Amino acid sequence: MAKEQYLTMAEKCILPGVNGHNGQQWQTGVNNFGKNNTTPTTTRMSRRARVASDVRQKCAAYVLALRPWSFSASLTPVALGSVLAYKLEGSVDLLILMVCAVTVLVVHGAGNLVNTYYDFSKGIDHKKSDDRTLVDEILAPQDVVMFGALLYSLGCLCATLLYFLSTMKLEHLALIYFGGLSSSFLYTGGIGLKYVALGDVVILITFGPLAVMFAHAVQVGYLSVLPLVYAVPLALNTEAILHSNNTRDMDSDKHAGIVTLAILIGPTLSYVLYNFLLFVPYVLFCILATRYTISMALPLLTLPMAFSLEKQFRSRFYAKIPQKTAKLNLLMGLFYVFGIILAPAGSLPLL
Ligand SMILES: CC(C)=CCC/C(C)=C/CC/C(C)=C/CC/C(C)=C/COP(=O)(O)OP(=O)(O)O
Ligand SMILES: Cc1cc(O)c2ccccc2c1O
């Protein structure tokens, strides 16, 4: 979420008077003559409308706390796993696809909330951070904890539903689901893998092979190596989001005493790594397009976005790079999925 947008939402959530729509109507202010004045609309506006408005603002605060701009990272692997199942088995169960998408989304969302809570309690998030849900008191820490617990419970409910909808073995489903759930918690909670430079590995595995394999397995009912291989370009691109995030936060993270990969390798190698993560997927798409089927060239349409991001990273204008890389991730992922759908039968490498 862009800083300015975030601030606007924060102002709306904690300062009702700042919001033109709400504030003007509810302020019991002082008029030009210095006398206390209740605006006429105050009396007209019903208590019910006021409660509805407060509920809306609270809901907006909860939605923003999830950092929905990052959801492309979990939706694209679900789409990829499902489309691979479609190519292999010839059909996809739409209900399973929907429940699987909700499961992965809520576990990702819960991971973001755990991140918000622990980064705040360890003093890592500050007034200039991207995530200011707790710093700006948009929500209270216990709200974030409760919301996170609610999402994890919803995730478990969805996983149970998947068990009944899919033919997947219970032990396989539990292994992958709880693997995803523990990664989402341990990224910043418990041992806090992010704080010891292991965050990148967690992201590469969970948002790549694990999520793609999960989406594929709930459709076909068995575990396969194929989705792991197809997940590689997407996983690299998703890791580019996190790496740009960590490069942007390098100084404040160092100050807070944590270690990330970006801190370990420094700004120059971070730029080299970002280019690697950004462009290697395109090399893989070129290989797939020339050796197998031309439809795999579709993701190359996003190359101009990647070049623009490379330029911004080079000029160290990091502010909005994670969000822009997430947008690229969504588009590249969708083109990748369409490329696979359009591939003629038998033209894709099936290992
Ligand atoms: C397979 C199943 C069932 C689920 C997988 C679901 C997923 C993808 C879970 C991963 C959750 C996870 C690791 C979330 C962490 C999200 C994250 C990278 C937050 C960013 O953290 P910071 O690096 O602190 O960035 P900020 O500075 O913006 O807070
Ligand atoms: C909030 C947030 C921030 C990120 O930089 C992410 C990077 C990759 C995957 C997920 C991410 C995320 O959820």
Side-chain angles (χ1 to χ4, degrees):
M1 173 68 51
K3 223 175 258 176
E4 309 79 61
Q5 262 175 294
Y6 210 105
L7 190 59
T8 313
M9 283 311 300
E11 287 166 352
K12 284 177 188 171
C13 293
I14 57 171
L15 304 169
V18 176
N19 179 347
H21 166 69
N22 193 37
Q24 281 297 307
Q25 286 166 330
W26 287 104
Q27 228 168 357
T28 301
V30 176
N31 67 17
N32 290 342
F33 307 102
K35 292 178 185 167
N36 273 345
N37 171 42
T38 306
T39 57
T41 37
T42 309
T43 46
R44 264 189 272 127
M45 198 174 195
S46 70
R47 191 179 157 76
R48 197 188 292 166
R50 184 178 171 176
V51 171
S53 159
D54 286 351
V55 169
R56 265 201 308 276
Q57 284 174 8
K58 194 86 178 168
C59 287
Y62 278 108
V63 171
L64 282 176
L66 289 174
R67 289 184 276 167
W69 64 264
S70 64
F71 284 170
S72 65
S74 47
L75 286 176
T76 44
V78 170
L80 179 61
S82 312
V83 90
L84 287 172
Y86 170 73
K87 277 285 163 186
L88 282 180
E89 304 285 309
S91 71
V92 179
D93 186 316
L94 282 181
L95 181 61
I96 294 184
L97 170 57
M98 300 289 274
V99 180
C100 175
V102 175
T103 311
V104 175
L105 262 184
V106 297
V107 175
H108 178 188
N112 284 354
L113 293 174
V114 171
N115 176 266
T116 296
Y117 180 81
Y118 280 97
D119 273 2
F120 175 74
S121 52
K122 287 183 196 290
I124 291 159
D125 281 341
H126 50 88
K127 281 282 170 200
K128 286 184 181 169
S129 290
D130 193 40
D131 180 16
R132 295 202 302 277
T133 307
L134 293 176
V135 181
D136 286 351
E137 296 177 32
I138 297 168
L139 290 176
Q142 65 266 30
D143 290 338
V144 172
V145 171
M146 292 304 286
F147 192 30
L150 181 79
L151 290 188
Y152 278 133
S153 311
L154 183 61
C156 292
L157 212 68
C158 291
T160 311
L161 188 56
L162 278 176
Y163 172 67
F164 290 110
L165 292 173
S166 150
T167 54
M168 202 174 164
K169 279 186 186 166
L170 176 63
E171 55 269 36
H172 290 166
L173 190 128
L175 185 75
I176 304 190
Y177 173 71
F178 286 107
L181 187 145
S182 352
S183 314
S184 94
F185 182 80
L186 293 175
Y187 178 77
T188 28
I191 41 176
L193 297 165
K194 165 192 160 175
Y195 308 127
V196 289
L198 288 174
D200 301 77
V201 181
V202 176
I203 297 307
L204 260 176
I205 296 173
T206 50
F207 288 92
L210 197 79
V212 179
M213 196 179 191
F214 184 66
H216 176 264
V218 289
Q219 291 288 343
V220 300
Y222 56 87
L223 300 183
S224 157
V225 184
L226 184 84
L228 305 184
V229 179
Y230 276 85
V232 171
L234 212 50
L236 292 175
N237 190 269
T238 306
E239 164 54 14
I241 309 175
L242 183 78
H243 180 63
S244 62
N245 195 327
N246 286 344
T247 308
R248 180 198 61 196
D249 298 342
M250 205 189 287
D251 292 336
S252 57
D253 283 351
K254 216 185 281 180
H255 197 72
I258 67 166
V259 183
T260 62
L261 181 63
I263 292 175
L264 286 178
I265 64 177
T268 309
L269 278 181
S270 279
Y271 167 70
V272 174
L273 179 61
Y274 184 68
N275 280 327
F276 176 87
L277 296 168
L278 211 54
F279 293 109
V280 166
Y282 294 107
V283 175
L284 299 176
F285 293 132
C286 285
I287 296 172
L288 285 171
T290 49
R291 295 191 66 177
Y292 299 97
T293 170
I294 192 65
S295 67
M296 294 314 293
L298 266 178
L300 299 177
L301 290 172
T302 59
L303 254 175
M305 279 175 87
F307 280 118
S308 149
L309 282 166
E310 178 278 328
K311 202 171 147 198
Q312 281 180 52
F313 203 107
R314 186 161 22 103
S315 46
R316 302 199 177 179
F317 184 65
Y318 301 126
K320 287 180 184 161
I321 295 186
Q323 284 84 352
K324 288 182 180 171
T325 312
K327 209 180 268 179
L328 170 71
N329 184 262
L330 178 65
L331 283 177
M332 201 194 77
L334 289 179
F335 281 125
Y336 186 22
V337 164
F338 282 126
I340 295 175
I341 293 175
L342 295 176
S347 65
L348 283 172
L350 294 178
L351 301 180

